[in-house]
Amino acid sequence: MTPRGDIPSPTLERLAEYLRCLTETDVDVEEFISSDQLGKRTRWPAELVRRDLSYFGEFGRRGVGYNVTLLRHALARILELNRPQPVVLVGLGNLGRALLTYPGWDRFNLFIAAVFDTDPRLVGKRVLGHDVLNADAIPEVVPTTKARMAMLSVPGSAAQEVADQLVACGIRGLLNFAPLALEVPKTVLVRNVSFITELAVLSHYTAQEQ
Amino acid sequence: MTPRGDIPSPTLERLAEYLRCLTETDVDVEEFISSDQLGKRTRWPAELVRRDLSYFGEFGRRGVGYNVTLLRHALARILELNRPQPVVLVGLGNLGRALLTYPGWDRFNLFIAAVFDTDPRLVGKRVLGHDVLNADAIPEVVPTTKARMAMLSVPGSAAQEVADQLVACGIRGLLNFAPLALEVPKTVLVRNVSFITELAVLSHYTAQEQ
DNA sequence: GGTTGTGAATCGATTCACAGCG
DNA sequence: CGCTGTGAATCGATTCACAACC
């Protein structure tokens, strides 16, 4: 899916960062926060913060700033995180475990609704508080979770097949960790996370001779 | 560090993807590959592929395409991956283990030169083929590895402190997995990976009512 | 005074369209 | 004829600069 219309994707990423800042414990001591303070915390320029926040109505108060509670709720609403959102996980290797134990699920109102793997040593067991289901059960189970999003931490060789199954179940957003470009219908949005790509970019920029 | 001059960062990310494609087993059966074929594999438009590849001289042959071997070496050179590059890992939780076992290190000529943690149950042990060192030893050990890059998979509460240590050791590129914005000198480049941010963006785009 | 909200200018990346070459 | 390389046009995001407002 091409992120069409509404809010640009770089802005959405920053909105998520602002939300994370506003769920930190120390932020609630003040009733208001200015674009300048929010910018300092996230390392974005204050004018960009203001531009981002202006995409959805005005609720800053000139001369004062943004009401912290109000802003937090508004951000959660935009990101559709104002009510608990189920997410499905396929692939329970080291990366899958890291995703399960990642802090911040609650904070963002996200939760893992189902965990799948193919390894017979894992299927049927309880791992880190989740029952591991056989990947064969995806078509049956995923629709019952009402999940719109799935995380794919399976080997590259299995990724496309699993993605196809998930899409057939009505999943419309995929977080793909496999090092390949998934083929999905226009209605499905894929976001890729690739450590190696990130390191390759760092490698270029940190080269001695420029 | 602001990625200044030379090649734009989105282009570099795609160059890494092209390189990954060109290290797949089936690609070597043909001597040449066209921008169209490379675009199909990576899902980028062919004209963008050509623009990207044109940032560093011309070595495509009109009417024919790009020599696969030549292109692979050129991409590796741009990304400074034509000789083995040491990378340091700090934090050996589930995410750290996932990074250690991630496939593709060899392919990209990257290797883990040292692994650090603070957990006394891990320090001194051998985990997944690597000796786990005490994080206290960072100032002593990191300079000996000649690493320019480090991966930070520690809890958010420790991230800034560890980053400071690494920077003091001469590390100039950080891959940060902690959910916060690190403060580093202008000469250091940070790239952040945040699963939750990615999911938040997916959450917005997959919302039912648009 | 302090801070937001936003047109206008700028900067940057992608796409178009086609000339140039093998 | 096929495919690359690239100016020019377009599209998109960020920054500037300041008017509006508390």
Side-chain angles (χ1 to χ4, degrees), chain A residues 1 3-4 6-10 12-14 16-17 20 24 41-43 77-81 85 87 94-99 101-105 107-108 110 128 148-151 172-175 177-184 189-210, chain B residues 1 3-4 6-10 12-14 16-17 20 24 41-43 77-81 85 87 94-99 101-105 107-108 110 128 148-151 172-175 177-184 189-210:
Chain A
M1 180 171 84
R4 79 209 124 106
D6 60 345
I7 304 176
S9 151
L12 282 170
E13 289 168 37
R14 288 189 298 268
E17 290 185 53
R20 198 192 55 227
E24 276 164 10
R41 280 174 184 257
T42 55
R43 323 242 144 240
R77 201 185 58 245
I78 300 298
L79 296 171
E80 206 71 24
L81 296 173
Q85 288 294 346
V87 182
N94 284 302
L95 180 56
R97 281 161 217 262
L99 293 170
T101 55
Y102 202 67
W105 288 102
R107 253 209 229 180
F108 270 66
L110 292 162
L128 297 167
R148 303 187 314 244
M149 296 173 274
M151 299 185 290
R172 294 171 50 230
L174 282 172
L175 188 51
F177 291 86
L180 55 81
L182 294 175
E183 191 164 0
V184 296
L189 179 61
V190 177
R191 289 182 73 94
N192 296 293
V193 174
S194 170
F195 314 138
I196 295 282
T197 297
E198 298 295 324
L199 283 175
V201 175
L202 285 181
S203 177
H204 169 88
Y205 283 124
T206 59
Q208 287 308 342
E209 70 289 336
Q210 293 252 16
Chain B
M1 180 170 83
R4 79 208 125 107
D6 61 344
I7 305 175
S9 151
L12 282 170
E13 290 169 35
R14 288 189 298 268
E17 289 184 53
R20 198 193 54 225
E24 276 164 11
R41 280 176 184 257
T42 55
R43 321 240 146 241
R77 201 185 59 246
I78 300 297
L79 297 171
E80 206 70 25
L81 297 174
Q85 289 295 345
V87 182
N94 284 302
L95 181 56
R97 280 162 217 261
L99 294 170
T101 56
Y102 202 67
W105 288 103
R107 251 209 230 180
F108 270 65
L110 292 162
L128 298 167
R148 303 188 313 246
M149 295 173 274
M151 300 185 290
R172 292 171 51 230
L174 282 171
L175 188 51
F177 291 87
L180 54 82
L182 293 175
E183 191 164 0
V184 297
L189 179 61
V190 177
R191 290 183 71 94
N192 296 293
V193 175
S194 170
F195 314 137
I196 295 281
T197 297
E198 298 295 324
L199 284 175
V201 175
L202 285 181
S203 177
H204 170 87
Y205 283 124
T206 58
Q208 288 307 343
E209 70 289 335
Q210 293 252 15

Side-chain angles (χ1 to χ4, degrees), chain B:
Chain B
M1 180 170 83
T2 307
R4 79 208 125 107
D6 61 344
I7 305 175
S9 151
T11 292
L12 282 170
E13 290 169 35
R14 288 189 298 268
L15 294 183
E17 289 184 53
Y18 306 148
L19 179 55
R20 198 193 54 225
C21 282
L22 296 181
T23 55
E24 276 164 11
T25 45
D26 61 327
V27 83
D28 262 320
V29 296
E30 297 289 337
E31 191 183 350
F32 289 90
I33 191 167
S34 65
S35 59
D36 200 55
Q37 292 171 286
L38 207 41
K40 285 225 171 49
R41 280 176 184 257
T42 55
R43 321 240 146 241
W44 299 113
E47 53 270 43
L48 188 51
V49 174
R50 291 201 300 277
R51 175 74 66 184
D52 287 341
L53 298 185
S54 75
Y55 273 100
F56 42 106
E58 327 181 357
F59 48 71
R61 275 213 236 157
R62 300 179 193 226
V64 180
Y66 304 85
N67 179 296
V68 171
T69 310
L70 218 60
L71 181 55
R72 188 164 45 216
H73 282 88
L75 289 169
R77 201 185 59 246
I78 300 297
L79 297 171
E80 206 70 25
L81 297 174
N82 50 349
R83 66 199 72 226
Q85 289 295 345
V87 182
V88 156
L89 172 66
V90 187
L92 194 51
N94 284 302
L95 181 56
R97 280 162 217 261
L99 294 170
L100 280 187
T101 56
Y102 202 67
W105 288 103
D106 291 346
R107 251 209 230 180
F108 270 65
N109 246 334
L110 292 162
F111 68 96
I112 310 258
V115 177
F116 300 93
D117 204 298
T118 52
D119 187 337
R121 287 166 301 179
L122 291 175
V123 172
K125 299 275 173 14
R126 206 170 165 77
V127 176
L128 298 167
H130 294 267
D131 294 315
V132 184
L133 306 176
N134 194 306
D136 294 341
I138 288 176
E140 180 195 341
V141 175
V142 170
T144 70
T145 65
K146 309 276 188 214
R148 303 188 313 246
M149 295 173 274
M151 300 185 290
L152 217 57
S153 60
V154 301
S157 53
Q160 183 63 58
E161 190 189 350
V162 175
D164 293 343
Q165 284 184 54
L166 290 167
V167 168
C169 291
I171 291 289
R172 292 171 51 230
L174 282 171
L175 188 51
N176 174 43
F177 291 87
L180 54 82
L182 293 175
E183 191 164 0
V184 297
K186 293 268 180 294
T187 51
V188 176
L189 179 61
V190 177
R191 290 183 71 94
N192 296 293
V193 175
S194 170
F195 314 137
I196 295 281
T197 297
E198 298 295 324
L199 284 175
V201 175
L202 285 181
S203 177
H204 170 87
Y205 283 124
T206 58
Q208 288 307 343
E209 70 289 335
Q210 293 252 15

